[in-house]
Amino acid sequence: MKIRILGTAAGGGLPQWNCGCAGCATARRTGAARTQDCLAVSADGTAWYLVNASPDLRGQLLATPELAPAPGTRDTPLRGVLLTSAELDHTLGLLTLREAAELTVHATLPVRYALHSAFPAGPLLAPYTKAGWQTLAPGRAVELAGGLRAEPLALGGKLPRYAADLPGEGWEGRTDWVCGFRFSTADGRASAVYAPGLAAWTPELDRAVAGAGVVVLDGTFSTDDELAGHTGGARSSRGMGHLAVRDSLPHLARHPGPRYLYTHLNNTNPLAHPGSPGTEALARALAAAGAAVAEDGMLIEL
Ligand code: MLT
Ligand code: MN
Ligand code: ZN
């Protein structure tokens, strides 16, 4: 199995275009930038799937040799897209894929619904490409091209802000607005977990990370009060559907073995700013848990 990490920042990226904070200013000056969270995965190194489609997708695709078309053709190695949420930082890039001859998008039912109503990516794409939509159900694995198996894990009920007023009963309260994936090869020898939005650590996640070679997980905020400390507001990390790094580390300690990589870093997270106050102690805690920060462009081979 191969995983190419395409982007590692939360919505807005690093630097964020309208932010002049010390971290964004440093990223602007040094070029230590991060694009928005998504990755590509392949079981056989030939058939590739995008997991999430960030607003930075065009640049991410062009920077990834594995995703280049065959010479002289429009024959792309991309076989489809899987979504972990309907959030704009995970879905705006779908519109960038409109030149595709065909496009298969795998998403849970509420995510599909949001993308055909409040943010109508489905109807918008229809005149441009032959789009096929597949419904994912938590716990029900799907078999994909190249021998890739993807099991969706229900991870949270947070609706995107733009979908707060969706008509219809029963959308609120569903736990599959946000999901993760456990990927494995057909022979079961390699497996990986991707969970960039993790509201809480669940028993399903305990099961999913057991035996995984790599776990790419939610590193949005370092602590539950990180954002409140920056903005003076009251929004907690957990309240935004993100288990803070300090709160997931104890779970990692219960499951030694996998290589853990934190992704979807917000621009307030000291982990995105090596050398800033508070980074060293946190970096030590990560290292002790077998964890590190994911970097744009990282290639993982399992
Ligand atoms: C999230 O990860 O919580 C969302 O992407 C936040 C947002 O961009 O509104
Ligand atoms: Mn996000
Ligand atoms: Zn900033």
Side-chain angles (χ1 to χ4, degrees):
M1 182 183 304
K2 289 188 183 184
I3 295 172
R4 180 68 88 166
I5 307 235
L6 301 179
T8 56
L14 176 71
Q16 182 170 306
W17 67 276
N18 63 343
C19 190
C21 78
C24 288
T26 305
R28 222 170 253 121
R29 198 181 62 246
T30 62
R34 289 176 186 271
T35 61
Q36 292 163 86
D37 173 70
C38 62
L39 56 74
V41 59
S42 173
D44 64 356
T46 302
W48 285 83
Y49 287 84
L50 266 182
V51 197
N52 292 326
S54 94
D56 300 317
L57 189 56
R58 181 174 176 277
Q60 293 170 331
L61 292 175
L62 294 181
T64 307
E66 295 85 2
L67 300 180
T73 72
R74 287 266 174 106
D75 190 11
T76 166
L78 264 190
R79 292 287 163 270
V81 185
L82 298 109
L83 298 174
T84 66
S85 78
E87 295 285 353
L88 293 174
D89 59 343
H90 283 155
T91 55
L92 275 173
L94 288 173
L95 302 181
T96 292
L97 297 173
R98 66 189 176 281
E99 292 88 5
E102 52 187 306
L103 185 65
T104 307
V105 184
H106 302 259
T108 61
L109 206 57
V111 170
R112 275 189 66 169
Y113 181 60
L115 296 179
H116 286 81
S117 54
F119 170 35
L124 287 171
L125 283 168
Y128 296 87
T129 183
K130 203 171 129 222
W133 292 78
Q134 299 286 333
T135 301
L136 295 171
R140 186 159 13 106
V142 289
E143 309 291 340
L144 302 169
L148 183 69
R149 175 172 236 260
E151 184 195 333
L153 313 159
L155 290 181
K158 191 185 142 248
L159 282 73
R161 275 192 265 178
Y162 71 79
D165 299 322
L166 274 187
E169 293 282 308
W171 295 110
E172 253 183 272
R174 290 184 65 116
T175 58
D176 55 351
W177 274 101
V178 179
C179 73
F181 290 100
R182 184 180 208 273
F183 295 107
S184 50
T185 50
D187 62 11
R189 264 194 250 162
S191 65
V193 173
Y194 176 47
L198 190 56
W201 199 281
T202 63
E204 291 76 47
L205 202 59
D206 276 328
R207 192 177 46 76
V209 304
V214 66
V215 177
V216 184
L217 81 166
D218 191 341
T220 310
F221 299 111
S222 59
T223 59
D224 203 46
D225 60 359
E226 179 187 302
L227 192 64
H230 275 261
T231 60
R235 292 212 288 174
S236 71
S237 174
R238 221 175 277 256
M240 293 177 70
H242 298 290
L243 187 66
V245 171
R246 279 287 184 194
D247 299 324
S248 60
L249 278 173
H251 296 281
L252 275 47
R254 292 191 297 110
H255 294 284
R259 176 182 179 198
Y260 291 99
L261 292 170
Y262 282 103
T263 191
H264 192 271
L265 275 69
N266 195 52
N267 47 45
T268 51
N269 190 333
L271 288 173
H273 310 291
S276 67
T279 341
E280 241 175 68
L282 195 54
R284 271 199 304 275
L286 259 65
V293 173
E295 302 296 341
D296 286 28
M298 229 179 204
L299 178 67
I300 298 159
E301 298 192 61
L302 296 169

